[in-house]
């Protein structure tokens, strides 16, 4: 019998996707020998920093532009298609139904690993996925009932700082892929409202 396909789910706002996200996905892929990383943009609040928020379609398109040449990357608008914001455990349960023979993982930064006990039904998420967590200044601590794989490779990128830079008139940012910067400028994303 062949080994199950290893699929990692990577949820986030990706507003916009930046090189830190790509490095995290790449490190996870290489460290765990994953077959696929599925980027799952979530629904977000329409108010951020007083700038115009990007629509789900824009965030998805920026993800598609940046992963176009990456064979193991998939952009999945599953959460954006739901009527109401989706909890991660619901996404994981839906993916387990969609890929019944796969071994599922959930990729996240250390900050999210620490806040996980406050998520909705973390035990239901843990029942479906193994966690791949990027260590930052400290290693994530194991948690009973949760399967944990720690990976290393920090990147300084921050979507908040990128949005602030664009809002203050910058057209390009070193943490952005050029195709994403083009999309942001063409569609006038993150500019101050009014
Ligand atoms: P914001 O600044 O808008 O909060 P963000 O990039 O921190 O943006 P998300 O887009 O939701 O937030 O991040 C998705 C995932 O990527 C999260 O698991 C987060 O921990 C991780 N992540 C974000 N930035 C980095 C980075 N520089 N290096 C590694 N992982 C990151």
């Amino acid at each position: 019998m062949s080994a199950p396909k290893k699929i990692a789910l990577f949820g986030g706002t990706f507003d916009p996707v930046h090189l830190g996200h790509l490095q995290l996905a790449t490190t996870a892929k290489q460290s765990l020998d994953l077959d696929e990383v599925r980027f799952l943009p979530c629904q977000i609040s329409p108010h951020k920093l007083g700038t115009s928020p990007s629509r789900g379609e824009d965030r998805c398109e920026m993800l598609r532009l940046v992963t176009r040449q990456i064979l193991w990357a998939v952009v999945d608008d599953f959460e954006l298609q739901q009527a109401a914001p989706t909890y991660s455990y619901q996404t994981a349960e839906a993916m387990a139904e969609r890929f019944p023979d796969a071994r599922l993982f959930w990729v996240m930064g250390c900050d999210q690993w620490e806040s996980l006990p406050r998520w909705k039904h973390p035990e239901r998420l843990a029942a479906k996925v193994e966690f791949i967590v990027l260590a930052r200044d400290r290693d994530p601590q194991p948690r009973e009932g949760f399967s944990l794989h720690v990976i290393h490779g920090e990147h300084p990128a921050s979507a908040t700082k990128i949005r602030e830079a664009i809002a203050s008139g910058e057209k390009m940012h070193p943490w952005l892929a050029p195709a994403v910067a083009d999309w942001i400028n063409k569609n006038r994303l993150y500019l101050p409202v009014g």
Side-chain angles (χ1 to χ4, degrees), residues 10-49:
F10 185 13
T13 47
F14 303 114
D15 191 24
V17 60
H18 56 61
L19 301 188
H21 298 131
L22 289 181
Q23 177 165 309
L24 175 52
T26 305
T27 307
K29 146 84 184 153
Q30 289 168 352
S31 305
L32 276 297
D33 192 24
L34 302 170
D35 294 291
E36 183 177 295
V37 177
R38 289 187 95 77
F39 290 78
L40 287 146
C42 62
Q43 297 188 30
I44 52 166
S45 149
H47 300 291
K48 267 198 169 181
L49 293 173

Side-chain angles (χ1 to χ4, degrees), residues 10-14 18 20-21 24 48 108-109 111-112 134 136 155-160 163:
F10 185 13
T13 47
F14 303 114
H18 56 61
H21 298 131
L24 175 52
K48 267 198 169 181
M108 59 174 61
D111 48 334
Q112 293 199 337
L134 181 76
R136 269 214 153 148
H155 191 286
S158 149
T160 302
R163 292 194 302 273

Side-chain angles (χ1 to χ4, degrees), residues 9 11 79 86-94 106 108 112 116 119-121 124-125 129:
L9 310 174
E79 293 199 0
T86 316
Y87 293 108
S88 299
Y89 82 90
Q90 295 171 316
T91 300
E93 288 176 354
W106 195 283
M108 59 174 61
Q112 293 199 337
L116 193 55
W119 291 18
K120 187 97 167 170
H121 297 313
R124 285 177 70 169
L125 178 59
V129 303

Side-chain angles (χ1 to χ4, degrees), residues 46-77:
H47 300 291
K48 267 198 169 181
L49 293 173
T51 61
S52 54
S54 47
R55 302 167 307 141
E57 289 90 333
D58 282 313
R59 290 181 289 123
C60 248
E61 189 53 35
M62 290 187 279
L63 278 165
R64 285 193 197 103
L65 286 168
V66 91
T67 56
R68 207 163 34 182
Q69 317 247 12
I70 307 176
L71 294 177
W72 46 265
V74 176
V75 181
D76 187 338
D77 66 356

Side-chain angles (χ1 to χ4, degrees), residues 2 14 26 34 47 52 60 85-86 96 104-105 114 123 131 137 142 154 162 164 175 180 186:
S2 61
F14 303 114
T26 305
L34 302 170
H47 300 291
S52 54
C60 248
T86 316
L104 293 182
F105 299 81
E114 281 164 9
E123 72 294 344
F131 296 89
D137 38 4
E154 210 181 326
I162 293 170
E164 285 169 353
W175 294 332
V180 172
K186 199 169 93 194

